[in-house]
Amino acid sequence: MDDARLDIALALANNEELESKFGDGDEGNFLSGWQCENPFASALIKRVRQRDSQSDPVKYSYMEMDEILSMLISDMHRRIDGRSISHAFPSPFGSTSIIFTFCANLARNGVKEVHYIPPIYFSMHFALKLFGIIARPVSGLHAYERGFTFNLPEKRTVLALVDPVWFTGKIVPVEAIKEIVQWQQRTGSLVFVDGSFQYMPWAGDRREETASLDPAYTFRMICPTKIMAVHGYRFSYVLMPSALREQFANTFTNIYASSTISNVAFAHEAVSEMERGEITASIIERAKNRFFRLIDGGWLKTQLIPESGYFTFSKITAPLPQGYKLMTQEFFEQRRFNGYAKLNLVSPSFHLIDPDRS
């Protein structure tokens, strides 16, 4: 087994162990976890509950069939990205539902291999393996690493990438995206972008470079529940080719069936809130302040300054309880950042390394 396959196997095994033996690591509340403190969402939640109270709980609800919601998402992205959108497909079950549907649909169409820029989220590795699809890395380095280069096959194929790389907060280099755009034009290849944490920049405007990919051959997934750190509701969506929408929707519905009215209510309110960007901006400001305070105080050390999101991949020098669980490089197809761990800068457990949690 080559190094890449060993790294993938180890990452999958570590994530499975975390879920089965450690209860998602204190139910996600640990420093490497996904639970977030968010004092900025009360007005949004109030509007969602008002909308929810006006919905009919007796009827089945199918978010993916909500044409008004799809139109709202498409219009929002035209304004933010300044580019045309083929189709916006909403999901009431978070990013993993779109990842699994995408992989299932590839298998449905006889696709046997997917190329990818490492790392990709472990759920995609799990889904590809489950559906018998070979995952082939196009680089020996992650996109955020110094010296990163990649080799794309000169044929029509499928390429998957994560941008930004969630656990580091680093974006895929602009030059790499431009190269993918040119390659896609030459080969007509399908590109899947896991953009779960897009539109969360630490500096600059919110336009995403992956929006320049050809909408007729691109799936770009975004997750408002992650972007606004409101995880009790589930809502993600994928901007996808209109020509592929019908089969994709059929695959999705056969796996997941109907939604809940609460998630649909959240989705309608979340789209306008995401465009305003106020909740996200407040979360990012808190994450930035904490990160730089910890760096300046010597409690964190890292070569990787985050550019997006609320995670950092760093060495924690602050004392932690003996045996405290952290998600280290072995969770992420990585072996060149010994001692580094994923750290959630808005974690409920943040006090463990910084008593001043302002």
Side-chain angles (χ1 to χ4, degrees):
M1 185 180 290
D2 60 29
D3 288 348
R5 295 196 182 281
L6 281 170
D7 290 343
I8 293 167
L10 184 59
L12 286 170
N14 275 307
N15 280 283
E16 183 177 350
E17 180 184 50
L18 180 67
E19 293 175 355
S20 61
K21 292 186 179 180
F22 296 95
D24 274 358
D26 188 25
E27 298 182 344
N29 287 299
F30 66 132
L31 284 167
S32 290
W34 32 91
Q35 301 290 9
C36 299
E37 289 184 324
N38 182 1
F40 311 111
S42 57
L44 169 63
I45 294 169
K46 182 178 180 180
R47 292 196 302 273
V48 173
R49 287 172 174 169
Q50 289 173 340
R51 180 184 284 269
D52 187 18
S53 68
Q54 299 167 6
S55 303
D56 186 351
V58 173
K59 294 181 179 179
Y60 280 100
S61 180
Y62 293 90
M63 185 187 290
E64 68 273 18
M65 303 301 292
D66 191 329
E67 294 297 330
I68 293 175
L69 178 59
S70 179
M71 181 185 66
L72 289 172
I73 297 168
S74 296
D75 290 346
M76 173 188 66
H77 277 282
R78 289 189 189 98
R79 290 189 290 270
I80 293 178
D81 297 321
R83 298 180 183 275
S84 62
I85 303 297
S86 290
H87 180 77
F89 183 93
S91 165
F93 302 110
S95 296
T96 299
S97 66
I98 291 175
I99 289 172
F100 262 77
T101 302
F102 179 78
C103 294
N105 218 51
L106 291 179
R108 183 175 179 176
N109 286 281
V111 174
K112 300 298 183 183
E113 69 175 10
V114 167
H115 294 82
Y116 75 96
I117 296 176
I120 52 177
Y121 195 58
F122 75 94
S123 290
M124 175 163 269
H125 276 304
F126 182 80
L128 290 171
K129 183 179 180 180
L130 194 67
F131 292 114
I133 300 172
I134 298 172
R136 300 191 185 280
V138 297
S139 177
L141 297 175
H142 289 193
Y144 53 84
E145 292 187 75
R146 188 180 294 112
F148 166 74
T149 59
F150 58 108
N151 295 302
L152 297 171
E154 286 300 322
K155 63 179 181 179
R156 189 177 183 182
T157 184
V158 180
L159 176 70
L161 66 144
V162 176
D163 183 38
V165 180
W166 75 104
F167 69 96
T168 65
K170 301 295 288 184
I171 63 172
V172 175
V174 171
E175 295 76 15
I177 300 300
K178 290 180 178 178
E179 186 174 339
I180 294 169
V181 169
Q182 295 172 355
W183 169 79
Q184 188 183 47
Q185 291 171 348
R186 291 196 307 271
T187 63
S189 293
L190 200 65
V191 178
F192 181 92
V193 180
D194 180 348
S196 294
F197 286 92
Q198 289 192 342
Y199 303 99
M200 304 187 76
W202 279 30
D205 64 44
R206 292 196 295 161
R207 286 176 293 183
E208 294 287 345
E209 193 65 30
T210 53
S212 61
L213 288 158
D214 189 339
Y217 296 97
T218 302
F219 286 73
R220 184 160 65 103
M221 179 180 69
I222 294 129
C223 187
T225 54
K226 288 184 171 66
I227 291 169
M228 290 180 283
V230 183
H231 304 299
Y233 294 107
R234 308 305 297 154
F235 170 44
S236 60
Y237 58 88
V238 60
L239 307 176
M240 62 174 294
S242 298
L244 303 180
R245 185 254 172 220
E246 184 175 346
Q247 188 187 67
F248 189 89
N250 177 262
T251 302
F252 181 92
T253 303
N254 273 284
I255 298 173
Y256 295 103
S258 62
S259 175
T260 68
I261 56 174
S262 295
N263 285 341
V264 174
F266 175 80
H268 277 266
E269 296 295 337
V271 172
S272 58
E273 188 64 50
M274 179 179 159
E275 183 167 6
R276 284 192 293 271
E278 294 173 359
I279 293 175
T280 301
S282 296
I283 294 168
I284 293 304
E285 189 63 23
R286 172 171 285 197
K288 286 172 61 177
N289 289 341
R290 289 177 167 182
F291 175 78
F292 288 113
R293 187 170 67 249
L294 290 171
I295 290 290
D296 292 342
W299 299 115
L300 282 185
K301 293 182 179 180
T302 185
Q303 302 173 30
L304 306 170
I305 306 302
E307 299 165 304
S308 181
Y310 42 80
F311 293 112
T312 176
F313 197 49
S314 302
K315 286 187 176 181
I316 301 174
T317 59
L320 288 172
Q322 187 174 5
Y324 191 84
K325 188 70 176 178
L326 290 171
M327 296 178 74
T328 50
Q329 62 177 357
E330 295 82 8
F331 284 80
F332 306 110
E333 298 180 66
Q334 182 56 267
R335 59 175 64 192
R336 293 169 293 278
F337 285 82
N338 190 41
Y340 277 58
K342 172 190 171 190
L343 173 64
N344 181 349
L345 293 164
V346 291
S347 169
S349 297
F350 199 77
H351 64 280
L352 290 174
I353 56 172
D354 185 3
D356 178 12
R357 290 189 294 161
S358 60

